[in-house]
Amino acid sequence: SFSLETSADVTLSVYDVKGRLVDTLIKGTLSPNSYNQVWNAENAASGIYFYKLEVNGQEIDTKRMGLVK
C-alpha cells in the first residue's frame, strides 16, 4: 500500500532475486489517494521477490517479499 499527495507518474514492478523484471503492476499517472495493490502470482514460482515503487522516475521504495505456494 502507498499514498500520493499529488498526481504522479507511478511504476510498481516485481523482480526476482536475479534482478529480472517479473511483472509490472502499475504504470501510469495516478491521482492523489491511498492505494493497495495485489500481485496475482499465479504463474510465479515460490521464492523471494522484490517490489520497487517509483514515483515521477525516482525510486521511493524497494522491499523484499516471499512467495509460498
Side-chain angles (χ1 to χ4, degrees):
S1 63
F2 62 96
S3 297
L4 296 174
E5 293 180 10
T6 61
S7 293
D9 291 326
V10 175
T11 303
L12 180 61
S13 303
V14 178
Y15 296 86
D16 66 13
V17 292
K18 293 185 178 182
R20 295 179 294 207
L21 179 65
V22 174
D23 203 355
T24 300
L25 306 177
I26 299 173
K27 185 170 180 79
T29 303
L30 298 180
S31 302
N33 206 341
S34 294
Y35 295 90
N36 289 312
Q37 183 64 45
V38 176
W39 177 36
N40 179 356
E42 184 176 306
N43 295 323
S46 294
I48 301 297
Y49 294 87
F50 296 87
Y51 67 85
K52 180 167 70 169
L53 176 64
E54 293 177 87
V55 177
N56 293 329
Q58 294 186 353
E59 184 176 328
I60 300 299
D61 204 4
T62 300
K63 295 213 174 157
R64 183 180 73 149
M65 60 183 172
L67 175 63
V68 180
K69 288 190 169 186

